[in-house]
Short mmCIF file of all heavy atoms in Angstrom, two decimals:
data_model
loop_
_atom_site.label_atom_id
_atom_site.label_comp_id
_atom_site.label_asym_id
_atom_site.label_seq_id
_atom_site.Cartn_x
_atom_site.Cartn_y
_atom_site.Cartn_z
N ALA A 160 43.95 -14.44 0.78
CA ALA A 160 44.01 -14.81 2.13
C ALA A 160 45.40 -15.43 2.37
O ALA A 160 45.99 -16.00 1.45
CB ALA A 160 42.88 -15.81 2.50
N LYS A 161 45.86 -15.40 3.62
CA LYS A 161 47.17 -16.02 3.96
C LYS A 161 47.11 -17.55 3.65
O LYS A 161 46.14 -18.25 4.19
CB LYS A 161 47.49 -15.81 5.37
CG LYS A 161 48.85 -16.23 5.77
CD LYS A 161 49.32 -15.91 7.14
CE LYS A 161 50.67 -16.38 7.54
NZ LYS A 161 50.99 -16.06 8.90
N LYS A 162 47.97 -18.09 2.85
CA LYS A 162 47.81 -19.43 2.45
C LYS A 162 48.21 -20.33 3.57
O LYS A 162 48.99 -20.09 4.55
CB LYS A 162 48.80 -19.83 1.32
CG LYS A 162 48.52 -18.88 0.01
CD LYS A 162 47.06 -19.13 -0.49
CE LYS A 162 46.79 -18.19 -1.71
NZ LYS A 162 45.42 -18.31 -2.21
N HIS A 163 47.60 -21.63 3.46
CA HIS A 163 47.83 -22.61 4.53
C HIS A 163 48.08 -23.88 3.77
O HIS A 163 47.49 -24.18 2.77
CB HIS A 163 46.68 -22.76 5.53
CG HIS A 163 46.89 -23.56 6.68
ND1 HIS A 163 46.69 -25.01 6.63
CD2 HIS A 163 47.26 -23.32 7.92
CE1 HIS A 163 46.92 -25.52 7.72
NE2 HIS A 163 47.36 -24.54 8.61
N PRO A 164 48.93 -24.80 4.26
CA PRO A 164 49.25 -25.98 3.55
C PRO A 164 48.03 -27.01 3.41
O PRO A 164 48.05 -27.88 2.53
CB PRO A 164 50.42 -26.66 4.28
CG PRO A 164 50.33 -26.03 5.72
CD PRO A 164 49.80 -24.64 5.43
N ILE A 165 47.03 -26.77 4.36
CA ILE A 165 45.88 -27.70 4.39
C ILE A 165 44.62 -27.05 4.10
O ILE A 165 43.71 -27.44 3.31
CB ILE A 165 45.87 -28.57 5.72
CG1 ILE A 165 47.13 -29.35 5.85
CG2 ILE A 165 44.59 -29.41 5.74
CD1 ILE A 165 47.20 -30.02 7.24
N ILE A 166 44.35 -25.92 4.77
CA ILE A 166 43.07 -25.25 4.69
C ILE A 166 42.91 -24.44 3.44
O ILE A 166 43.91 -23.71 3.13
CB ILE A 166 42.92 -24.33 6.04
CG1 ILE A 166 43.01 -25.24 7.27
CG2 ILE A 166 41.60 -23.64 5.96
CD1 ILE A 166 42.84 -24.57 8.60
N THR A 167 41.78 -24.48 2.88
CA THR A 167 41.49 -23.64 1.67
C THR A 167 41.21 -22.11 1.97
O THR A 167 41.09 -21.87 3.15
CB THR A 167 40.30 -24.29 0.88
OG1 THR A 167 39.21 -24.26 1.68
CG2 THR A 167 40.61 -25.73 0.45
N THR A 168 41.02 -21.44 0.96
CA THR A 168 40.86 -19.89 1.11
C THR A 168 39.65 -19.42 0.28
O THR A 168 39.19 -20.08 -0.53
CB THR A 168 42.08 -19.12 0.78
OG1 THR A 168 42.43 -19.50 -0.60
CG2 THR A 168 43.24 -19.54 1.69
N ALA A 169 39.32 -18.12 0.66
CA ALA A 169 38.30 -17.44 -0.06
C ALA A 169 38.74 -15.96 -0.15
O ALA A 169 39.27 -15.39 0.79
CB ALA A 169 36.93 -17.50 0.64
N GLU A 170 38.49 -15.39 -1.33
CA GLU A 170 38.87 -14.02 -1.62
C GLU A 170 37.75 -13.17 -2.08
O GLU A 170 36.83 -13.76 -2.69
CB GLU A 170 40.04 -13.94 -2.67
CG GLU A 170 41.29 -14.68 -2.20
CD GLU A 170 42.33 -14.73 -3.27
OE1 GLU A 170 42.20 -13.99 -4.27
OE2 GLU A 170 43.31 -15.55 -3.08
N VAL A 171 37.81 -11.86 -1.80
CA VAL A 171 36.74 -10.90 -2.24
C VAL A 171 37.45 -9.87 -3.11
O VAL A 171 38.46 -9.29 -2.68
CB VAL A 171 35.99 -10.24 -1.09
CG1 VAL A 171 34.99 -9.31 -1.69
CG2 VAL A 171 35.27 -11.37 -0.24
N HIS A 172 36.91 -9.67 -4.39
CA HIS A 172 37.62 -8.79 -5.32
C HIS A 172 36.59 -7.67 -5.75
O HIS A 172 35.39 -7.88 -5.81
CB HIS A 172 38.13 -9.52 -6.46
CG HIS A 172 39.25 -10.38 -6.20
ND1 HIS A 172 40.58 -9.84 -6.13
CD2 HIS A 172 39.33 -11.67 -5.86
CE1 HIS A 172 41.45 -10.86 -5.78
NE2 HIS A 172 40.62 -12.00 -5.62
N THR A 173 37.03 -6.51 -6.11
CA THR A 173 36.28 -5.38 -6.59
C THR A 173 36.04 -5.47 -8.12
O THR A 173 35.39 -4.70 -8.60
CB THR A 173 36.75 -4.10 -6.16
OG1 THR A 173 38.15 -3.98 -6.73
CG2 THR A 173 36.89 -3.89 -4.63
N TYR A 174 36.64 -6.44 -8.74
CA TYR A 174 36.60 -6.54 -10.16
C TYR A 174 36.31 -8.00 -10.54
O TYR A 174 36.26 -8.87 -9.63
CB TYR A 174 38.06 -6.15 -10.81
CG TYR A 174 39.17 -6.97 -10.25
CD1 TYR A 174 39.47 -8.20 -10.79
CD2 TYR A 174 39.88 -6.49 -9.06
CE1 TYR A 174 40.57 -8.97 -10.21
CE2 TYR A 174 40.93 -7.23 -8.57
CZ TYR A 174 41.29 -8.42 -9.13
OH TYR A 174 42.34 -9.16 -8.64
N GLY A 175 36.10 -8.29 -11.78
CA GLY A 175 35.80 -9.70 -12.25
C GLY A 175 34.33 -9.96 -12.24
O GLY A 175 33.51 -9.11 -11.82
N LEU A 176 33.92 -11.16 -12.63
CA LEU A 176 32.56 -11.57 -12.81
C LEU A 176 31.94 -12.08 -11.51
O LEU A 176 30.66 -12.20 -11.45
CB LEU A 176 32.46 -12.53 -13.91
CG LEU A 176 32.96 -12.14 -15.36
CD1 LEU A 176 32.72 -13.24 -16.39
CD2 LEU A 176 31.95 -10.89 -15.83
N GLY A 177 32.74 -12.63 -10.66
CA GLY A 177 32.21 -13.22 -9.44
C GLY A 177 32.02 -14.71 -9.58
O GLY A 177 32.39 -15.28 -10.58
N CYS A 178 31.60 -15.36 -8.53
CA CYS A 178 31.47 -16.75 -8.49
C CYS A 178 30.27 -17.17 -9.27
O CYS A 178 29.29 -16.37 -9.53
CB CYS A 178 31.32 -17.25 -7.06
SG CYS A 178 29.72 -16.94 -6.25
N PRO A 179 30.09 -18.48 -9.60
CA PRO A 179 28.93 -18.85 -10.45
C PRO A 179 27.52 -18.52 -9.80
O PRO A 179 26.61 -18.16 -10.46
CB PRO A 179 29.04 -20.48 -10.45
CG PRO A 179 30.62 -20.57 -10.40
CD PRO A 179 31.06 -19.52 -9.51
N LYS A 180 27.43 -18.61 -8.41
CA LYS A 180 26.28 -18.24 -7.76
C LYS A 180 25.85 -16.71 -8.08
O LYS A 180 24.66 -16.40 -8.20
CB LYS A 180 26.36 -18.37 -6.29
CG LYS A 180 25.27 -17.86 -5.40
CD LYS A 180 25.51 -18.08 -3.94
CE LYS A 180 24.95 -17.04 -3.04
NZ LYS A 180 25.17 -15.68 -3.40
N GLN A 181 26.88 -15.89 -7.94
CA GLN A 181 26.57 -14.48 -8.23
C GLN A 181 26.22 -14.18 -9.70
O GLN A 181 25.46 -13.29 -10.03
CB GLN A 181 27.85 -13.63 -7.88
CG GLN A 181 28.21 -13.58 -6.50
CD GLN A 181 29.51 -12.94 -6.14
OE1 GLN A 181 30.57 -13.25 -6.83
NE2 GLN A 181 29.56 -11.95 -5.26
N LEU A 182 26.63 -15.10 -10.62
CA LEU A 182 26.31 -14.92 -12.05
C LEU A 182 24.86 -15.57 -12.32
O LEU A 182 24.22 -14.99 -13.20
CB LEU A 182 27.39 -15.57 -12.83
CG LEU A 182 28.76 -14.98 -12.85
CD1 LEU A 182 29.69 -15.78 -13.63
CD2 LEU A 182 28.73 -13.48 -13.46
N HIS A 183 24.59 -16.49 -11.77
CA HIS A 183 23.37 -17.23 -11.98
C HIS A 183 22.16 -17.15 -10.94
O HIS A 183 21.08 -17.62 -11.23
CB HIS A 183 23.62 -18.71 -12.25
CG HIS A 183 24.64 -18.99 -13.38
ND1 HIS A 183 24.18 -19.05 -14.70
CD2 HIS A 183 25.92 -19.16 -13.42
CE1 HIS A 183 25.22 -19.19 -15.45
NE2 HIS A 183 26.24 -19.31 -14.74
N GLY A 184 22.50 -16.50 -9.86
CA GLY A 184 21.44 -16.29 -8.87
C GLY A 184 21.43 -17.26 -7.72
O GLY A 184 20.90 -17.00 -6.67
N SER A 185 21.89 -18.43 -7.96
CA SER A 185 21.98 -19.40 -6.82
C SER A 185 23.00 -20.57 -7.11
O SER A 185 23.35 -20.70 -8.41
CB SER A 185 20.62 -20.05 -6.58
OG SER A 185 20.26 -20.98 -7.72
N CYS A 186 23.40 -21.15 -6.15
CA CYS A 186 24.40 -22.36 -6.32
C CYS A 186 23.74 -23.36 -7.14
O CYS A 186 24.41 -23.98 -8.03
CB CYS A 186 24.85 -22.82 -5.00
SG CYS A 186 25.69 -21.65 -3.86
N GLN A 187 22.56 -23.72 -6.87
CA GLN A 187 21.73 -24.72 -7.67
C GLN A 187 21.66 -24.42 -9.06
O GLN A 187 21.83 -25.22 -10.00
CB GLN A 187 20.38 -24.94 -6.91
CG GLN A 187 20.51 -25.68 -5.61
CD GLN A 187 19.11 -25.96 -5.00
OE1 GLN A 187 18.32 -25.11 -5.02
NE2 GLN A 187 18.92 -27.14 -4.53
N ALA A 188 21.25 -23.11 -9.34
CA ALA A 188 21.08 -22.72 -10.72
C ALA A 188 22.31 -22.75 -11.53
O ALA A 188 22.45 -23.12 -12.70
CB ALA A 188 20.52 -21.29 -10.87
N ALA A 189 23.44 -22.56 -10.82
CA ALA A 189 24.87 -22.56 -11.46
C ALA A 189 25.31 -23.96 -11.47
O ALA A 189 26.34 -24.26 -12.16
CB ALA A 189 25.77 -21.66 -10.68
N GLY A 190 24.70 -24.94 -10.80
CA GLY A 190 25.31 -26.25 -10.69
C GLY A 190 26.61 -26.35 -10.04
O GLY A 190 27.45 -27.11 -10.40
N CYS A 191 26.73 -25.43 -8.99
CA CYS A 191 28.13 -25.25 -8.38
C CYS A 191 28.03 -25.47 -6.88
O CYS A 191 27.16 -25.03 -6.24
CB CYS A 191 28.64 -23.84 -8.59
SG CYS A 191 30.25 -23.55 -7.96
N ARG A 192 29.01 -26.28 -6.42
CA ARG A 192 29.20 -26.56 -4.99
C ARG A 192 30.69 -26.44 -4.63
O ARG A 192 31.24 -27.18 -3.81
CB ARG A 192 28.63 -27.97 -4.59
CG ARG A 192 27.16 -28.05 -4.63
CD ARG A 192 26.47 -27.15 -3.56
NE ARG A 192 24.99 -27.33 -3.62
CZ ARG A 192 24.17 -26.52 -2.94
NH1 ARG A 192 24.72 -25.59 -2.10
NH2 ARG A 192 22.90 -26.65 -3.00
N ALA A 193 31.41 -25.55 -5.35
CA ALA A 193 32.80 -25.41 -5.18
C ALA A 193 33.19 -24.99 -3.73
O ALA A 193 34.23 -25.53 -3.23
CB ALA A 193 33.33 -24.35 -6.10
N CYS A 194 32.31 -24.24 -3.07
CA CYS A 194 32.68 -23.86 -1.70
C CYS A 194 32.80 -24.94 -0.72
O CYS A 194 33.50 -24.91 0.27
CB CYS A 194 31.64 -22.77 -1.23
SG CYS A 194 31.63 -21.30 -2.19
#
Side-chain angles (χ1 to χ4, degrees):
K161 186 177 181 181
K162 302 302 181 184
H163 189 275
I165 299 173
I166 299 177
T167 60
T168 58
E170 300 176 12
V171 180
H172 294 274
T173 57
Y174 57 86
L176 297 176
C178 76
K180 169 183 151 312
Q181 291 174 310
L182 294 173
H183 298 278
S185 72
C186 301
Q187 287 182 315
C191 180
R192 290 294 179 185
C194 296

